[in-house]
Amino acid sequence: MPEETHLLEAGGIPKKRKSGHKKGRKTKKKVNAFPGAGEKIKIDNRMRKLFRKRAREYDSDDDEEEEEVAASKDDNAVPLADDEKNLETHGLDDDEPEVSDNENEEEDDEVHPGIMKFTEGVRAFRTAFQSIIKKSVSDDSLGPVMSAHKNLVAEKLAEEETERKAKGEAKKEKHLVGEKGHVKPANYLDAHEKFLISVATKGVVKLFNAVNKAQHAQKGLDASRSKDAKAIKKRRKEAFFSELSKPSFSSAKTPAKVQSSTGAADSEPPAWAPLRDNYMLTNSKLKDWDKMQESSEPEDFRRGSGDSSSDDD
Amino acid sequence: MARFGNNKKKAFVKPVMKKPKPGNVDHITGDKIPKSFVFSRGKLPGPLKQLEMDLRKLMLPYTALKLKEKKRNNLKDFLNVAGPMGVTHFLILSKTETAPYLRVARTPQGPTLTFKIKEYALAADVAQAQLRPRSPKDLFQNPPLIVLSGFGTGEQHLKLTTIMFQNIFPAIDINTVKLASCQRIVLLNYNKETKLVDFRHYSIRLQPIGVSRRIRKFVQNHQVPDLRNLQDVSDFVTKAGYGSESEADDEAATVTLASDLGRVNQASSKSAVKLQEIGPRMTLQLVKVEEGLCSGVVIFNEYGNAADTKRQGKQKDAEDLEDVERDGDEGEEDQGDDEED
């Protein structure tokens, strides 16, 4: 099979050679025909003759294969050179005639166009390659562009650039809108944050102390026994009020201080009911809790101000 | 193939509707537990979506953490689900050109408080700003405490805000509450001059007082201490640590515990209360109070116009004029409401 494919490939070349002057179209065809698209190309008699003649030149049968390979190499080399020349003609018009001259010479040497000796094929390739190497590339932002429409490419690129810029700006704007109000906190605590923490801490401390008092009182009593249950109920209330009444007398200064520091001059009681100094003490009767132990039935003290009816409004 | 036929013949059994679980009610105190939905109206940008997620975490455990919302869901859909689920509060985030908005509403009747979010920082931002962000496993297993401060100016809308936020988390019974369940605190601080509400979320930590840092860490960590540099074991106890024991002198932040808490906090000894922010952080401005759920009569408007014009309109008995004016005002000031329905 390798022989056959070589033949096919070789057959493609002379066909192409016939239309020597139309180079632009030729390259296209070549691309189609070259990579093993052998079925389309007919093996004409002339080619067959040629190969037979070449085979005769080498007298041995063993050499025939080698010759074939060499020939195929030749054929490969030529289109390559041709290819590059084509590219070159677009880029550099000055070099073209020289190269083509070379080629013409080569063709003249041979009886059959398209087949040339190994050394000559290499030479053609070399000249073409050298002409490319010699070529000075202009210091363009685009780099080497092997196209006649160099300006068009540049224009397109510039257009793309502006488009991308506009898109980026739009995206940035959208991002800014989305980030509106988003503030990254500083990694230190400023005065305001410290104040807020102190307020929250005060709330927690007050609650914990109240819980402590309430739960401490009922220690050692069994809620299941009715006698103890009564006592618990009584004590709960007492302990809770005693706890709450304490800070209203002892630490009355501190909250006022804090408030004044923030600008709120008048000592407004905090809204959270347990934070208020007079929490659950608005009823004056309850102030003297220790004197009237037979007070009303116990209730649960909730975190809120305890008015569940307020939900309705 | 025969199997399909069999399946088809099976009589349709009506699924038994379960009655709402008693989970709506606290099993100790018997109070109704408030539950909440946090969702958004309209499309939110990335950071606000994150804020929504942070708010859901803050509202844990009585909230829908993975609430799915679609574009076509309207307020009624949420309301329909809220009834059977026992959801009592809605926190609704929305966004306009000017600012993001947060609406806190009670279901199903209202009222609705509309806050303009002046500034906000996500929990992630807060954690990033800290040297050692703290996130214990059971942090979000219990509802937070809430502290409202500075709201007692006597104004009606502030009173309403107070009530609203007091009831958004379950109440605790002082006699039965376990201190270990108090892990977080939500603070709302009203600044009277700027009329802004600072919304903060802290985690509560208790530390024994009078114990050197070294020993505290030793008890907490269960790790063999490094004694290489010490001459004697007693040095480990007696030798003072670094000089940064400044926390201890803050008298106001000390409590005596009712019961032992964790490994280090004994009931007998005193403990210091330490708060560390966990975020999110918001600065809110109360813009509007509506009587219904995102609808109804405007009770309060920060910009004042709507309420004033309404009153004037009533006095003049010129209702048509009033309507026109009100519509105009609302259009100007509250684009956030346009997204509804």
Side-chain angles (χ1 to χ4, degrees), chain A residues 181-183 192-193 215 303 311, chain B residues 120 125 167 170-171 177 198 200:
Chain A
H182 188 186
V183 176
H192 186 58
E193 293 300 323
Q215 295 189 354
R303 167 184 8 215
D311 297 1
Chain B
Y120 67 94
D125 301 330
N167 289 305
V177 70
D198 289 309
R200 296 288 186 277

Side-chain angles (χ1 to χ4, degrees), chain A residues 90-247:
Chain A
H90 290 296
L92 272 182
D93 291 330
D94 322 5
D95 287 354
E96 197 200 2
E98 195 197 338
V99 176
S100 61
D101 280 349
N102 280 345
E103 211 175 46
N104 285 339
E105 279 169 23
E106 288 157 23
E107 279 170 5
D108 290 344
D109 291 346
E110 285 284 313
V111 183
H112 300 282
I115 304 293
M116 58 188 86
K117 291 215 166 150
F118 183 70
T119 49
E120 284 158 1
V122 168
R123 203 188 58 176
F125 177 73
R126 191 180 58 209
T127 47
F129 189 74
Q130 273 173 351
S131 71
I132 288 177
I133 291 294
K134 266 183 231 159
K135 186 177 135 190
S136 64
V137 180
S138 57
D139 279 343
D140 209 349
S141 61
L142 287 173
V145 173
M146 291 183 177
S147 167
H149 305 295
K150 206 169 180 176
N151 288 337
L152 207 107
V153 171
E155 247 170 53
K156 207 171 184 184
L157 280 177
E159 202 175 282
E160 247 169 45
E161 183 87 347
T162 52
E163 213 167 83
R164 196 154 15 104
K165 223 174 228 175
K167 225 181 230 175
E169 257 164 38
K171 208 175 178 186
K172 210 179 253 176
E173 206 166 283
K174 201 181 165 194
H175 182 72
L176 270 182
V177 169
E179 287 277 336
K180 198 159 200 178
H182 188 186
V183 176
K184 303 258 170 165
N187 52 3
Y188 58 90
L189 290 177
D190 55 10
H192 186 58
E193 293 300 323
K194 268 184 187 157
F195 163 69
L196 290 178
I197 285 182
S198 77
V199 169
T201 308
K202 228 175 277 166
V204 175
V205 166
K206 233 164 217 185
L207 177 83
F208 274 33
N209 283 337
V211 167
N212 179 34
K213 274 281 149 64
Q215 295 189 354
H216 192 73
Q218 49 183 305
K219 244 179 214 171
L221 288 171
D222 190 5
S224 57
R225 276 162 57 197
S226 62
K227 199 180 172 190
D228 281 358
K230 260 187 197 170
I232 285 174
K233 277 178 183 175
K234 226 183 252 173
R235 283 200 201 184
R236 273 183 186 178
K237 197 153 195 177
E238 292 164 15
F240 190 61
F241 283 135
S242 72
E243 167 58 26
L244 287 169
S245 59
K246 242 191 241 164

Side-chain angles (χ1 to χ4, degrees), chain B residues 81-132:
Chain B
V81 179
M85 303 267 285
V87 172
T88 52
H89 289 83
F90 280 170
L91 274 79
I92 308 165
L93 275 169
S94 59
K95 164 111 181 79
T96 67
E97 304 255 312
T98 48
Y101 286 83
L102 173 71
R103 273 174 289 173
V104 183
R106 219 194 121 81
T107 62
Q109 303 293 321
T112 306
L113 312 173
T114 305
F115 294 98
K116 188 180 190 175
I117 303 178
K118 288 272 186 183
E119 280 177 3
Y120 67 94
L122 305 174
D125 301 330
V126 171
Q128 211 168 28
Q130 286 169 356
L131 206 60
R132 265 177 236 278

Side-chain angles (χ1 to χ4, degrees), chain A residues 6-125:
Chain A
H6 288 316
L7 283 176
L8 296 180
E9 277 175 16
I13 304 306
K15 205 179 169 187
K16 181 198 71 191
R17 282 282 153 150
K18 276 173 200 167
S19 57
H21 50 279
K22 284 184 180 175
K23 272 163 186 172
R25 208 196 278 169
K26 196 171 62 183
T27 50
K28 264 185 201 167
K29 265 188 188 168
K30 202 193 332 167
V31 169
N32 283 337
F34 206 75
E39 296 101 355
K40 288 173 190 171
I41 303 152
K42 289 173 202 160
I43 310 167
D44 48 351
N45 285 332
R46 219 173 55 180
M47 283 303 298
R48 212 164 267 175
K49 254 187 225 162
L50 163 74
F51 283 118
R52 271 183 200 141
K53 188 190 147 200
R54 292 208 137 199
R56 255 177 265 130
E57 276 179 22
Y58 297 82
D59 280 325
S60 69
D61 281 345
D62 294 349
D63 285 348
E64 196 182 332
E65 270 188 26
E66 274 182 27
E67 165 56 21
E68 292 278 346
V69 172
S72 69
K73 262 186 190 170
D74 269 1
D75 293 333
N76 281 340
V78 170
L80 255 177
D82 217 3
D83 208 346
E84 268 151 14
K85 212 189 72 194
N86 276 331
L87 288 172
E88 198 185 347
T89 47
H90 290 296
L92 272 182
D93 291 330
D94 322 5
D95 287 354
E96 197 200 2
E98 195 197 338
V99 176
S100 61
D101 280 349
N102 280 345
E103 211 175 46
N104 285 339
E105 279 169 23
E106 288 157 23
E107 279 170 5
D108 290 344
D109 291 346
E110 285 284 313
V111 183
H112 300 282
I115 304 293
M116 58 188 86
K117 291 215 166 150
F118 183 70
T119 49
E120 284 158 1
V122 168
R123 203 188 58 176
F125 177 73

Side-chain angles (χ1 to χ4, degrees), chain B residues 50-105:
Chain B
Q50 201 57 50
L51 181 69
E52 185 188 351
M53 209 54 221
D54 287 346
L55 277 176
R56 280 184 191 170
K57 272 188 105 177
L58 182 143
M59 298 303 292
L60 277 177
Y62 301 113
T63 191
L65 187 64
K66 293 173 183 172
L67 180 68
K68 295 271 184 297
E69 27 182 341
K70 284 177 182 157
K71 209 178 169 185
R72 64 162 186 272
N73 286 142
N74 54 24
L75 204 57
K76 212 173 246 176
D77 293 344
F78 290 109
L79 202 55
N80 285 340
V81 179
M85 303 267 285
V87 172
T88 52
H89 289 83
F90 280 170
L91 274 79
I92 308 165
L93 275 169
S94 59
K95 164 111 181 79
T96 67
E97 304 255 312
T98 48
Y101 286 83
L102 173 71
R103 273 174 289 173
V104 183

